[in-house]
Structure formats: structure tokens, C-alpha cells
Amino acid sequence: MCDVTEHQELIRELTKVCLINNLTVIVAWSNDEAGQYIATFKQFEHKPPDLIKERVDKDYDSQLRTALTSINKVNKTDVETLRTSLGSFADISNASSDRLQTLPGFGQVKVRRIKDAFEKPFRNQSTSSAFSLGSQVSRVPPRNLAPPASESLPTGANDKGKEKETFPPDRQFREPSPVWDIELDLI
């Protein structure tokens, strides 16, 4: 049971021990909460995971409702309005912002969220660049300084025949994170 205000470091250390020893940790603020967690755990202990998964019917309307209510601020009533006014999923996804705003209950925010869900890519610019930097961590210059635009970072010996990578001058680099050894951390 957690009864201290500065619990983050303690829980982090406890989690490390549990990971190493293949244990499960349940943290609660009161005896009642801990009892509820344990009762729920015991109730589902030998049950398959699909018992607690959301059930979606196989019919078109149910799948449409599930897909559209996953957009923030869109509820079941909104889905029903979209379905009766526009028809199919394709018609809803291709509808203009002006057309959507004429529907009852659809303001600028809701329409923008719906349009973003259909038109924006799943990964944004910062997420994509973070994933592309993952393989370049070993080549990051020290002190968080980006190399000048004219410079290229050297490539390894196994990269012969490949062009050197150049980086834009506005990109800031960070030093690579130290390797975390859980064995050393527990001593």
C-alpha cells in the first residue's frame, strides 16, 4: 500500500525488482482499493482475455459506430446523424467541412476533429523524425550542437558506397542516453 507523497522513486525501484523476478505489483492508496484490485484479479485470473475486451457486433452500423466514436468528441448520437444524413463511411469521410457543419450538433471543433481523423497522417513530423533518429544515436555530436549545414557526419566502415548523411542546421541533437543495466541498478 502506498502511503507516502513522494512515491515515484520507490515504485520505480519496486517495479525493477518485480520485472527481474517475474512478479506483479499492485499499488493502492487504501486497504479497500487493494481489496477491490485483488478481488477483480481473482475473478478474471483463469478467464480468457477476450472476456474483458470490448465486443463489437459484426453488422455495418455497429462497426461504423465503433469506428467513428473513436474520434474524440464524437458520440453515438453524432454517428447516427452522420449515417442518416450522409449514408456510408466513404461519404462521411469525403464530406466537406461546410457540409458537416450544417448538421445539427456539429460545430467547428467537432468537424475539425472528424476531418483531421480522415485527412491527417497517423504520424506527425516530430514523431517521424524521432523514429528516424533512433538509428543515428551513435553518431550524435556532443553538447547538443547540430553540425553546420555544410558538414556531414562520417559514416561507418560498413557504409561504403553510401552517401554521407547531412542534417538541417535547425535540428538540435542530444547526447545518447546511458545504457541502463538493471543488474547494476539493484545492487
Coordinates of all heavy atoms in Angstrom, one line a residue, residues 36-95:
Q36 N -10.3 -4.4 -3.6 CA -11.0 -4.4 -4.9 C -10.2 -4.9 -6.0 O -10.6 -5.7 -6.9 CB -11.5 -3.0 -5.2 CG -12.5 -2.9 -6.4 CD -13.7 -3.7 -6.2 OE1 -14.3 -3.7 -5.1 NE2 -14.2 -4.4 -7.2
Y37 N -8.9 -4.4 -6.1 CA -8.0 -4.9 -7.1 C -7.8 -6.4 -7.1 O -7.8 -7.1 -8.1 CB -6.6 -4.2 -7.0 CG -6.6 -2.8 -7.5 CD1 -5.7 -1.9 -6.8 CD2 -7.4 -2.3 -8.5 CE1 -5.7 -0.5 -7.2 CE2 -7.4 -1.0 -8.9 CZ -6.5 -0.1 -8.3 OH -6.4 1.2 -8.7
I38 N -7.6 -6.9 -5.9 CA -7.3 -8.3 -5.7 C -8.5 -9.2 -6.0 O -8.5 -10.2 -6.7 CB -6.8 -8.7 -4.3 CG1 -5.4 -8.0 -4.1 CG2 -6.8 -10.2 -4.0 CD1 -4.9 -8.1 -2.7
A39 N -9.7 -8.7 -5.6 CA -11.0 -9.4 -5.9 C -11.2 -9.4 -7.5 O -11.6 -10.5 -8.0 CB -12.2 -8.7 -5.3
T40 N -11.0 -8.3 -8.1 CA -11.1 -8.3 -9.6 C -10.1 -9.2 -10.3 O -10.4 -9.9 -11.2 CB -11.0 -6.8 -10.1 OG1 -11.9 -6.0 -9.4 CG2 -11.2 -6.8 -11.6
F41 N -8.9 -9.2 -9.8 CA -7.8 -10.0 -10.3 C -8.2 -11.5 -10.2 O -8.1 -12.3 -11.1 CB -6.5 -9.7 -9.6 CG -5.4 -10.6 -10.1 CD1 -4.8 -10.5 -11.3 CD2 -5.0 -11.7 -9.3 CE1 -3.8 -11.3 -11.7 CE2 -3.9 -12.5 -9.7 CZ -3.3 -12.3 -10.9
K42 N -8.7 -11.9 -9.0 CA -9.0 -13.3 -8.8 C -10.2 -13.7 -9.6 O -10.3 -14.8 -10.1 CB -9.3 -13.5 -7.3 CG -8.1 -13.6 -6.4 CD -7.2 -14.6 -6.9 CE -6.4 -15.3 -5.9 NZ -5.6 -16.4 -6.5
Q43 N -11.1 -12.8 -9.8 CA -12.3 -13.0 -10.6 C -12.0 -13.4 -12.1 O -12.6 -14.2 -12.7 CB -13.3 -11.8 -10.6 CG -14.6 -12.0 -11.3 CD -15.5 -10.8 -11.2 OE1 -15.0 -9.8 -10.7 NE2 -16.7 -10.9 -11.7
F44 N -11.0 -12.7 -12.6 CA -10.6 -12.9 -14.0 C -9.3 -13.7 -14.2 O -8.8 -13.8 -15.3 CB -10.4 -11.5 -14.7 CG -11.7 -10.8 -14.9 CD1 -12.1 -9.8 -14.0 CD2 -12.5 -11.1 -15.9 CE1 -13.3 -9.1 -14.2 CE2 -13.7 -10.5 -16.1 CZ -14.1 -9.5 -15.3
E45 N -8.8 -14.3 -13.1 CA -7.5 -15.0 -13.1 C -7.4 -16.0 -14.2 O -6.4 -16.1 -14.9 CB -7.2 -15.5 -11.7 CG -5.8 -16.1 -11.6 CD -5.6 -16.6 -10.2 OE1 -6.5 -16.8 -9.4 OE2 -4.4 -16.7 -9.8
H46 N -8.4 -16.9 -14.3 CA -8.3 -18.0 -15.3 C -9.3 -17.8 -16.4 O -9.6 -18.8 -17.1 CB -8.6 -19.3 -14.5 CG -7.6 -19.6 -13.4 ND1 -6.3 -19.9 -13.7 CD2 -7.7 -19.6 -12.1 CE1 -5.7 -20.1 -12.5 NE2 -6.5 -19.9 -11.5
K47 N -9.6 -16.6 -16.7 CA -10.6 -16.3 -17.8 C -9.7 -15.9 -19.0 O -8.7 -15.3 -18.9 CB -11.5 -15.2 -17.4 CG -12.3 -15.5 -16.1 CD -13.6 -16.1 -16.5 CE -14.6 -16.4 -15.5 NZ -14.8 -16.5 -14.3
P48 N -10.3 -16.1 -20.2 CA -9.5 -15.7 -21.4 C -9.6 -14.1 -21.6 O -10.6 -13.5 -21.1 CB -10.3 -16.4 -22.6 CG -11.6 -16.7 -22.0 CD -11.5 -16.9 -20.5
P49 N -8.7 -13.5 -22.2 CA -8.6 -12.1 -22.3 C -9.8 -11.5 -23.1 O -10.2 -10.3 -22.9 CB -7.3 -11.7 -23.0 CG -6.9 -13.0 -23.6 CD -7.5 -14.1 -22.8
D50 N -10.4 -12.3 -24.0 CA -11.5 -11.7 -24.8 C -12.8 -11.5 -24.0 O -13.7 -10.8 -24.4 CB -11.8 -12.6 -26.0 CG -12.2 -14.1 -25.6 OD1 -11.9 -14.4 -24.5 OD2 -12.7 -14.8 -26.5
L51 N -12.8 -12.0 -22.7 CA -13.9 -11.7 -21.8 C -14.0 -10.3 -21.4 O -15.1 -9.7 -21.2 CB -13.7 -12.6 -20.6 CG -14.9 -13.5 -20.2 CD1 -14.4 -14.5 -19.2 CD2 -16.1 -12.8 -19.8
I52 N -12.8 -9.6 -21.3 CA -12.8 -8.2 -20.9 C -12.6 -7.2 -22.1 O -12.7 -6.0 -21.9 CB -11.8 -7.9 -19.8 CG1 -10.4 -8.3 -20.3 CG2 -12.1 -8.6 -18.5 CD1 -9.3 -7.9 -19.3
K53 N -12.4 -7.8 -23.3 CA -12.3 -6.9 -24.5 C -13.7 -6.4 -24.9 O -14.7 -7.0 -24.6 CB -11.7 -7.7 -25.6 CG -10.2 -7.9 -25.5 CD -9.7 -8.8 -26.6 CE -10.1 -8.5 -28.0 NZ -9.5 -9.4 -29.0
E54 N -13.7 -5.2 -25.5 CA -14.9 -4.7 -26.0 C -15.5 -5.5 -27.1 O -14.7 -6.0 -28.0 CB -14.6 -3.3 -26.5 CG -15.9 -2.6 -27.0 CD -15.6 -1.2 -27.7 OE1 -14.4 -0.9 -27.9 OE2 -16.5 -0.5 -28.0
R55 N -16.7 -5.8 -27.1 CA -17.4 -6.6 -28.1 C -18.0 -5.6 -29.1 O -18.7 -4.7 -28.8 CB -18.5 -7.4 -27.5 CG -17.9 -8.6 -26.7 CD -19.1 -9.4 -26.0 NE -18.6 -10.3 -25.1 CZ -18.3 -10.0 -23.8 NH1 -18.3 -8.8 -23.4 NH2 -17.9 -11.0 -23.0
V56 N -17.7 -5.9 -30.4 CA -18.2 -5.1 -31.5 C -19.0 -6.1 -32.3 O -18.5 -7.1 -32.8 CB -17.1 -4.5 -32.3 CG1 -17.7 -3.7 -33.5 CG2 -16.3 -3.5 -31.4
D57 N -20.3 -5.8 -32.5 CA -21.1 -6.6 -33.4 C -20.5 -6.6 -34.8 O -19.8 -5.7 -35.2 CB -22.6 -6.2 -33.4 CG -23.2 -6.4 -32.0 OD1 -22.7 -7.3 -31.3 OD2 -24.1 -5.7 -31.7
K58 N -20.9 -7.6 -35.6 CA -20.4 -7.7 -37.0 C -21.2 -6.9 -38.0 O -20.8 -6.8 -39.1 CB -20.4 -9.2 -37.4 CG -19.5 -10.0 -36.5 CD -18.1 -9.7 -36.6 CE -17.2 -10.6 -35.7 NZ -15.9 -10.1 -35.5
D59 N -22.3 -6.3 -37.6 CA -23.1 -5.6 -38.6 C -22.5 -4.2 -38.9 O -21.7 -3.7 -38.2 CB -24.6 -5.4 -38.1 CG -24.7 -4.6 -36.9 OD1 -24.1 -5.0 -35.8 OD2 -25.3 -3.5 -37.0
Y60 N -22.9 -3.7 -40.1 CA -22.3 -2.5 -40.6 C -22.5 -1.3 -39.6 O -21.5 -0.6 -39.4 CB -22.9 -2.2 -42.0 CG -22.4 -0.9 -42.5 CD1 -21.1 -0.8 -43.1 CD2 -23.1 0.3 -42.5 CE1 -20.6 0.4 -43.7 CE2 -22.7 1.5 -43.0 CZ -21.4 1.5 -43.6 OH -20.9 2.7 -44.1
D61 N -23.7 -1.1 -39.1 CA -23.9 0.0 -38.2 C -23.1 0.0 -37.0 O -22.6 1.0 -36.5 CB -25.4 0.1 -37.9 CG -26.3 0.5 -39.1 OD1 -25.8 1.1 -40.0 OD2 -27.5 0.2 -39.0
S62 N -22.9 -1.2 -36.4 CA -22.1 -1.3 -35.2 C -20.6 -1.0 -35.5 O -20.0 -0.3 -34.7 CB -22.2 -2.7 -34.6 OG -23.5 -3.0 -34.2
Q63 N -20.1 -1.5 -36.6 CA -18.7 -1.2 -36.9 C -18.5 0.3 -37.2 O -17.5 0.9 -36.9 CB -18.3 -2.1 -38.1 CG -18.2 -3.5 -37.7 CD -17.7 -4.4 -38.8 OE1 -17.7 -4.0 -40.0 NE2 -17.3 -5.6 -38.5
L64 N -19.5 0.9 -37.9 CA -19.5 2.3 -38.2 C -19.5 3.1 -36.9 O -18.7 4.1 -36.7 CB -20.6 2.7 -39.1 CG -20.7 4.2 -39.5 CD1 -19.6 4.5 -40.4 CD2 -22.1 4.5 -40.1
R65 N -20.3 2.8 -36.0 CA -20.4 3.4 -34.7 C -19.1 3.3 -33.9 O -18.6 4.3 -33.4 CB -21.6 2.9 -33.9 CG -21.8 3.6 -32.6 CD -23.0 3.1 -31.8 NE -23.3 1.7 -31.8 CZ -24.2 1.1 -32.5 NH1 -25.0 1.8 -33.3 NH2 -24.4 -0.2 -32.5
T66 N -18.5 2.1 -33.9 CA -17.3 1.9 -33.2 C -16.1 2.7 -33.8 O -15.4 3.4 -33.1 CB -16.9 0.4 -33.2 OG1 -18.0 -0.3 -32.6 CG2 -15.6 0.2 -32.4
A67 N -16.1 2.7 -35.1 CA -15.0 3.5 -35.8 C -15.1 5.0 -35.6 O -14.1 5.7 -35.3 CB -15.0 3.2 -37.3
L68 N -16.3 5.5 -35.7 CA -16.5 7.0 -35.6 C -16.5 7.5 -34.2 O -16.0 8.6 -33.9 CB -17.8 7.4 -36.3 CG -17.8 7.2 -37.8 CD1 -19.1 7.6 -38.4 CD2 -16.6 8.1 -38.5
T69 N -16.9 6.7 -33.2 CA -16.9 7.2 -31.8 C -15.5 7.1 -31.3 O -15.2 7.6 -30.2 CB -17.8 6.3 -30.9 OG1 -17.5 5.0 -31.0 CG2 -19.3 6.7 -31.2
S70 N -14.5 6.5 -32.0 CA -13.1 6.5 -31.5 C -12.5 7.9 -31.8 O -11.5 8.2 -31.2 CB -12.3 5.4 -32.2 OG -12.2 5.7 -33.6
I71 N -13.2 8.7 -32.6 CA -12.7 10.1 -32.8 C -13.2 10.9 -31.6 O -14.4 10.8 -31.2 CB -13.4 10.7 -34.1 CG1 -12.9 9.9 -35.3 CG2 -13.0 12.2 -34.2 CD1 -13.7 10.3 -36.6
N72 N -12.3 11.7 -31.0 CA -12.6 12.4 -29.8 C -13.7 13.4 -30.1 O -13.8 14.1 -31.1 CB -11.3 13.2 -29.4 CG -11.4 13.7 -28.0 OD1 -12.4 13.4 -27.2 ND2 -10.5 14.5 -27.6
K73 N -14.7 13.5 -29.1 CA -15.9 14.4 -29.2 C -17.0 13.9 -30.0 O -18.0 14.5 -30.2 CB -15.5 15.8 -29.6 CG -14.4 16.5 -28.8 CD -15.0 16.8 -27.4 CE -13.9 17.6 -26.6 NZ -14.1 17.6 -25.2
V74 N -16.9 12.7 -30.7 CA -17.9 12.2 -31.5 C -18.6 11.1 -30.7 O -18.0 10.1 -30.3 CB -17.4 11.6 -32.8 CG1 -18.5 11.0 -33.6 CG2 -16.7 12.7 -33.6
N75 N -20.0 11.2 -30.5 CA -20.7 10.3 -29.7 C -21.7 9.5 -30.6 O -21.7 9.7 -31.8 CB -21.5 11.0 -28.5 CG -22.4 12.0 -29.0 OD1 -23.0 11.9 -30.1 ND2 -22.5 13.1 -28.3
K76 N -22.4 8.6 -30.0 CA -23.3 7.7 -30.7 C -24.4 8.5 -31.5 O -24.8 8.2 -32.6 CB -24.0 6.7 -29.8 CG -23.0 5.7 -29.3 CD -23.6 4.7 -28.4 CE -22.6 3.7 -27.8 NZ -23.2 2.7 -26.9
T77 N -24.9 9.6 -30.8 CA -25.9 10.4 -31.5 C -25.3 11.1 -32.7 O -26.0 11.1 -33.8 CB -26.4 11.5 -30.5 OG1 -26.9 10.8 -29.3 CG2 -27.5 12.3 -31.1
D78 N -24.1 11.5 -32.6 CA -23.4 12.1 -33.8 C -23.3 11.1 -34.9 O -23.4 11.5 -36.1 CB -22.0 12.7 -33.4 CG -22.1 13.8 -32.4 OD1 -23.2 14.5 -32.4 OD2 -21.2 14.0 -31.6
V79 N -22.9 9.9 -34.6 CA -22.7 8.9 -35.6 C -24.1 8.6 -36.3 O -24.1 8.5 -37.5 CB -22.2 7.6 -35.0 CG1 -22.2 6.4 -36.0 CG2 -20.8 7.8 -34.4
E80 N -25.1 8.6 -35.5 CA -26.4 8.3 -36.1 C -26.8 9.5 -37.0 O -27.4 9.3 -38.1 CB -27.5 8.2 -35.0 CG -28.7 7.5 -35.4 CD -28.5 6.1 -36.0 OE1 -27.6 5.4 -35.6 OE2 -29.3 5.8 -36.9
T81 N -26.5 10.7 -36.7 CA -26.8 11.9 -37.5 C -26.0 11.8 -38.8 O -26.5 12.0 -39.9 CB -26.4 13.2 -36.8 OG1 -27.1 13.3 -35.5 CG2 -26.7 14.4 -37.6
L82 N -24.7 11.4 -38.7 CA -23.8 11.3 -39.9 C -24.4 10.2 -40.8 O -24.4 10.3 -42.0 CB -22.4 11.0 -39.5 CG -21.6 12.1 -38.9 CD1 -20.3 11.6 -38.2 CD2 -21.3 13.1 -39.9
R83 N -24.8 9.1 -40.2 CA -25.3 7.9 -41.0 C -26.6 8.3 -41.7 O -26.7 8.0 -42.9 CB -25.5 6.7 -40.1 CG -25.8 5.4 -40.9 CD -26.1 4.3 -40.0 NE -27.3 4.5 -39.2 CZ -28.5 4.3 -39.6 NH1 -28.7 4.0 -40.9 NH2 -29.5 4.5 -38.8
T84 N -27.5 8.9 -41.1 CA -28.8 9.2 -41.7 C -28.6 10.4 -42.7 O -29.3 10.4 -43.7 CB -29.8 9.6 -40.7 OG1 -29.4 10.7 -39.9 CG2 -30.2 8.4 -39.8
S85 N -27.7 11.3 -42.5 CA -27.6 12.5 -43.4 C -26.7 12.2 -44.6 O -26.9 12.6 -45.7 CB -27.0 13.7 -42.6 OG -27.8 14.0 -41.5
L86 N -25.6 11.4 -44.3 CA -24.6 11.3 -45.4 C -24.6 9.8 -46.0 O -24.1 9.6 -47.1 CB -23.2 11.6 -44.9 CG -23.1 13.1 -44.4 CD1 -21.7 13.3 -43.8 CD2 -23.3 14.0 -45.6
G87 N -25.0 8.9 -45.2 CA -25.0 7.5 -45.7 C -23.8 6.7 -45.3 O -23.7 6.3 -44.1
S88 N -23.0 6.4 -46.2 CA -21.9 5.4 -46.0 C -20.6 6.1 -45.3 O -20.5 7.3 -45.3 CB -21.5 4.8 -47.3 OG -20.8 5.8 -48.1
F89 N -19.7 5.2 -44.9 CA -18.5 5.6 -44.3 C -17.7 6.5 -45.4 O -17.1 7.5 -45.0 CB -17.7 4.4 -43.9 CG -16.4 4.7 -43.2 CD1 -16.4 5.1 -41.8 CD2 -15.2 4.7 -43.8 CE1 -15.3 5.4 -41.1 CE2 -14.0 5.0 -43.2 CZ -14.1 5.3 -41.8
A90 N -17.7 6.0 -46.6 CA -17.0 6.7 -47.7 C -17.5 8.1 -47.8 O -16.8 9.1 -48.0 CB -17.0 6.0 -49.0
D91 N -18.9 8.3 -47.8 CA -19.5 9.6 -47.9 C -19.2 10.5 -46.8 O -18.9 11.7 -46.9 CB -21.0 9.4 -48.1 CG -21.4 8.8 -49.4 OD1 -20.6 8.8 -50.3 OD2 -22.5 8.2 -49.4
I92 N -19.1 9.9 -45.6 CA -18.8 10.7 -44.4 C -17.3 11.1 -44.5 O -17.0 12.3 -44.2 CB -19.0 9.8 -43.1 CG1 -20.5 9.5 -42.9 CG2 -18.4 10.5 -41.9 CD1 -20.8 8.5 -41.9
S93 N -16.4 10.3 -44.9 CA -15.0 10.6 -44.9 C -14.7 11.6 -46.0 O -13.8 12.4 -45.9 CB -14.1 9.4 -45.1 OG -14.4 8.8 -46.4
N94 N -15.5 11.7 -47.1 CA -15.3 12.6 -48.2 C -16.1 13.9 -48.1 O -16.0 14.8 -48.9 CB -15.6 11.9 -49.5 CG -14.7 10.8 -49.9 OD1 -13.5 10.9 -49.5 ND2 -15.1 9.8 -50.5
A95 N -17.0 14.0 -47.0 CA -17.8 15.2 -46.9 C -16.9 16.4 -46.6 O -15.9 16.3 -45.9 CB -18.8 15.0 -45.7

